[in-house]
Amino acid sequence: MVQRGPHRGLIFGIFLAPFHRAGDNPTLAIARDMDLISHLDALGYDEAWIGEHHSAGWELIASPELIIAAAAERTKNIRLGTGVTSLPYHHPFLVAQRFVQLDHMTKGRAMLGCGPGALTSDAYMLAIKAEDQRRRMGESLDAIMQLLKCEEPVTMKTDWFEMREARLHLAPYTDPHFPIAVASTQSPAGMQVAGKHGLGVLSLGAGLPGGVDALPAHWKIAEDEAAKYGKTMDRKGWRLVINMHCAEDDERALRDVAHGERQETVTYFEETLGRPPGRSQDPLREGVKAGNTLVGSPETVTKGIERMIAASKGGVGGVMFRAHEWANREDTFRSFELFARWVMPKFQGSLDTVIASRDWCRDNRGTIFAPNVKAIEKAYQDAGKALPEGYRSRLTGARDDSKS
C-alpha cells in the first residue's frame, strides 16, 4: 500500500462503518459522517475507510463509493477507501471499473477495501449462501487483479459471474493501481487472499477480545500464503482497526463513552445481530486493560498503541479507529483533535527535530546567549543606565549577579 505525505512511521485514520443508533435521523447521520471526514482531513489524518451495508438499521451507507466521491470534493489530502466493498455482492468487472474511475476523480486518493460481506442479513437478501461468501471474495479479487494489469483481455467463468474478453477502457491513475486491502476478522480467509496477491490488510479482529495477541499468527498466515505465489507481504500495508476515545484524563474519557458503548453493544450487537451477551460487569474497562480498546488520556492511548505495535512482533503500517458514537458530538471531535495534537506526532517522527532543537537551546543557553548578554550590558553602559533587576536570569536562567 502506498504511503504518501510527509510522515514517517505510522499512519492514522478511521474505519467508518458507520454506526448510528436506530431512530436517529438517517439523513443527518450521513451528513455528520461527511462532516467527520472533513474534520479529520483538516486535522491531518491520513485515511478514512467507509463501509457497505444493506440491512440491520445501524450501518446506513449502502454505497461507500458515493461517499468517497462526495468527500473527495470537500477534502484536500485524506485518502478515501471502502471499508469494505463486499465483493460477493458485485460483478468484479464493475468493481474494477468504478475504482479506476474513483482513482482518476480523486487524483490517486481512492483505495479499495475488500471483504466477503459482514452481515448475514445482507447476503440472505441477495440469496448468497454464507459458505460461499469467502470463496466468491477470492474469485472476485482474482478477476479484479487480472483486469488491473491492463494486459491481455480477461475471460473467466464461475458459478456466479462471467467475463468474455473483458478489459478496462481506462487504466488506473495510480501506478500500478490504487491501494487494495483485504479485511480480516477471525477466520484465515482474509489473510490468505491478501497473501495470494501481496495486498494490504485491515485487521478488524484487533479490537476483539484476544485480537491483539493473535496478530502475529494472523500475519504469518498471510506471509505463508504469499510465499506460495511468489509474493511478499509489506507490514506498511497492515492496518489495525480498534476503538479509541481520547480525553484530558482517563476517568473523563471513560465517563464520556460509558453510556454510548453499552447502548451500541446491547441494542445493536446483542439484540439486533444476536451476539451472545458479555459476561463482564465492566467490559469497557476490561477492554482497556486487555489492550484491545484505547480509552483514556493521550498518555494512556499512546502506551496502548505502543503495546499493540510490540504485540505485532514486527510492526504495522497504521492504526484505524472505528468511528463510533459512544460519546456526544463535541467530545468525539475533541477526542480526534487531542489525538492529532498529542499522540499522532509521537509515531510519525514530526516531533524529533522540534524536541532536539528545544533541548539544544536549553542545554547550551549559557554559552549561546552569552554574547547577547554582553552586548546588551554594553548598550546600557554606553547609555549610562543601570541594568534592570533580574536581567541576566531572564535571558540565561543563570543567577543574576548584575549587582555584584
Side-chain angles (χ1 to χ4, degrees), residues 261-287:
E261 183 277 330
R262 283 291 81 202
Q263 189 174 57
E264 178 191 286
T265 298
V266 173
T267 64
Y268 184 45
F269 288 104
E270 294 178 5
E271 294 179 357
T272 303
L273 299 184
R275 178 187 293 178
R279 299 179 180 178
S280 171
Q281 296 298 315
D282 194 345
L284 181 60
R285 288 180 185 267
E286 287 202 5

Side-chain angles (χ1 to χ4, degrees), residues 17 51-63 84-86 88-90 116-130 133 136 268 273:
E52 174 196 351
H53 303 87
H54 303 278
S55 59
W58 276 65
E59 301 170 85
L60 299 176
I61 295 173
S63 177
V84 296
T85 297
S86 299
Y89 304 169
H90 308 274
L119 297 181
T120 55
S121 47
D122 290 354
Y124 174 83
M125 291 191 295
L126 293 168
I128 300 172
K129 296 179 181 178
Q133 286 178 256
R136 288 191 178 193
Y268 184 45
L273 299 184

Side-chain angles (χ1 to χ4, degrees), residues 16 25 41 49 65 88 111 160-161 201 234 252 258 322 379:
L16 181 70
N25 184 320
D41 180 57
W49 299 80
E65 297 92 341
M111 306 177 293
W160 66 284
F161 75 85
V201 173
D234 186 353
R252 172 167 180 172
R322 191 173 70 91

Side-chain angles (χ1 to χ4, degrees), residues 1-177:
M1 199 175 289
V2 178
Q3 180 170 326
R4 303 176 180 86
H7 301 311
R8 299 182 294 273
L10 288 183
I11 64 171
F12 295 100
I14 60 166
F15 192 87
L16 181 70
F19 292 100
H20 298 299
R21 181 160 55 99
D24 194 357
N25 184 320
T27 306
L28 294 180
I30 294 173
R32 291 203 311 276
D33 293 335
M34 297 294 295
D35 290 343
L36 177 60
I37 294 172
S38 297
H39 182 63
L40 297 179
D41 180 57
L43 290 174
Y45 284 81
D46 300 285
E47 296 178 350
W49 299 80
I50 299 101
E52 174 196 351
H53 303 87
H54 303 278
S55 59
W58 276 65
E59 301 170 85
L60 299 176
I61 295 173
S63 177
E65 297 92 341
L66 292 178
I67 299 292
I68 290 171
E73 295 298 310
R74 302 187 188 188
T75 57
K76 295 180 179 179
N77 299 303
I78 194 167
R79 297 187 291 277
L80 303 162
T82 53
V84 296
T85 297
S86 299
L87 294 184
Y89 304 169
H90 308 274
H91 195 291
F93 180 76
L94 298 181
V95 173
Q97 290 277 51
R98 288 199 296 267
F99 276 86
V100 169
Q101 180 176 328
L102 280 175
D103 195 23
H104 283 263
M105 292 175 63
T106 63
K107 297 294 194 297
R109 287 197 283 148
M111 306 177 293
L112 171 60
C114 304
L119 297 181
T120 55
S121 47
D122 290 354
Y124 174 83
M125 291 191 295
L126 293 168
I128 300 172
K129 296 179 181 178
E131 59 266 28
D132 291 337
Q133 286 178 256
R134 288 166 179 79
R135 172 181 63 83
R136 288 191 178 193
M137 177 185 72
E139 292 170 346
S140 176
L141 196 51
D142 287 345
I144 291 169
M145 298 307 296
Q146 288 191 50
L147 288 166
L148 291 176
K149 293 178 181 178
C150 294
E151 296 174 349
E152 298 297 324
V154 180
T155 296
M156 182 182 298
K157 184 176 183 178
T158 70
D159 62 351
W160 66 284
F161 75 85
E162 182 175 1
M163 294 191 297
R164 300 175 189 169
E165 299 184 49
R167 68 192 78 197
L168 302 178
H169 65 172
L170 189 65
Y173 177 90
T174 303
D175 184 26
H177 55 73

Side-chain angles (χ1 to χ4, degrees), residues 73-362:
E73 295 298 310
R74 302 187 188 188
T75 57
K76 295 180 179 179
N77 299 303
I78 194 167
R79 297 187 291 277
L80 303 162
T82 53
V84 296
T85 297
S86 299
L87 294 184
Y89 304 169
H90 308 274
H91 195 291
F93 180 76
L94 298 181
V95 173
Q97 290 277 51
R98 288 199 296 267
F99 276 86
V100 169
Q101 180 176 328
L102 280 175
D103 195 23
H104 283 263
M105 292 175 63
T106 63
K107 297 294 194 297
R109 287 197 283 148
M111 306 177 293
L112 171 60
C114 304
L119 297 181
T120 55
S121 47
D122 290 354
Y124 174 83
M125 291 191 295
L126 293 168
I128 300 172
K129 296 179 181 178
E131 59 266 28
D132 291 337
Q133 286 178 256
R134 288 166 179 79
R135 172 181 63 83
R136 288 191 178 193
M137 177 185 72
E139 292 170 346
S140 176
L141 196 51
D142 287 345
I144 291 169
M145 298 307 296
Q146 288 191 50
L147 288 166
L148 291 176
K149 293 178 181 178
C150 294
E151 296 174 349
E152 298 297 324
V154 180
T155 296
M156 182 182 298
K157 184 176 183 178
T158 70
D159 62 351
W160 66 284
F161 75 85
E162 182 175 1
M163 294 191 297
R164 300 175 189 169
E165 299 184 49
R167 68 192 78 197
L168 302 178
H169 65 172
L170 189 65
Y173 177 90
T174 303
D175 184 26
H177 55 73
F178 41 84
I180 302 174
V182 181
S184 173
T185 304
Q186 292 177 309
S187 80
M191 303 304 286
Q192 289 175 321
V193 171
K196 179 179 181 180
H197 298 286
L199 300 175
V201 173
L202 291 161
S203 285
L204 279 69
L208 299 176
V212 173
D213 294 334
L215 290 175
H218 274 252
W219 187 251
K220 190 175 187 307
I221 292 172
E223 288 186 319
D224 290 347
E225 195 71 12
K228 295 179 184 178
Y229 292 91
K231 303 288 185 177
T232 57
M233 293 297 294
D234 186 353
R235 284 178 178 260
K236 290 183 178 180
W238 190 9
R239 310 286 187 263
L240 308 185
V241 181
I242 58 172
N243 289 307
M244 186 279 295
H245 181 78
C246 190
E248 286 77 3
D249 60 72
D250 290 351
E251 288 305 314
R252 172 167 180 172
L254 289 164
R255 288 196 305 271
D256 284 349
V257 302
H259 175 73
E261 183 277 330
R262 283 291 81 202
Q263 189 174 57
E264 178 191 286
T265 298
V266 173
T267 64
Y268 184 45
F269 288 104
E270 294 178 5
E271 294 179 357
T272 303
L273 299 184
R275 178 187 293 178
R279 299 179 180 178
S280 171
Q281 296 298 315
D282 194 345
L284 181 60
R285 288 180 185 267
E286 287 202 5
V288 172
K289 183 178 180 180
N292 55 278
T293 300
L294 302 180
V295 176
S297 67
E299 293 75 18
T300 296
V301 173
T302 297
K303 292 176 182 177
I305 293 175
E306 290 172 343
R307 287 194 296 269
M308 295 181 74
I309 295 171
S312 72
K313 304 296 184 183
V316 301
V319 179
M320 302 295 115
F321 303 126
R322 191 173 70 91
H324 51 66
E325 293 190 331
W326 290 358
N328 63 42
R329 193 68 169 166
E330 293 75 18
D331 290 339
T332 298
F333 271 53
R334 190 177 75 251
S335 168
F336 283 116
E337 182 174 357
L338 285 171
F339 185 91
R341 292 180 63 191
W342 302 109
V343 183
M344 190 185 296
K346 295 180 180 179
F347 295 95
Q348 295 182 326
S350 55
L351 291 180
D352 296 347
T353 55
V354 175
I355 299 300
S357 180
R358 188 276 313 272
D359 291 348
W360 176 76
C361 284
R362 180 195 61 197

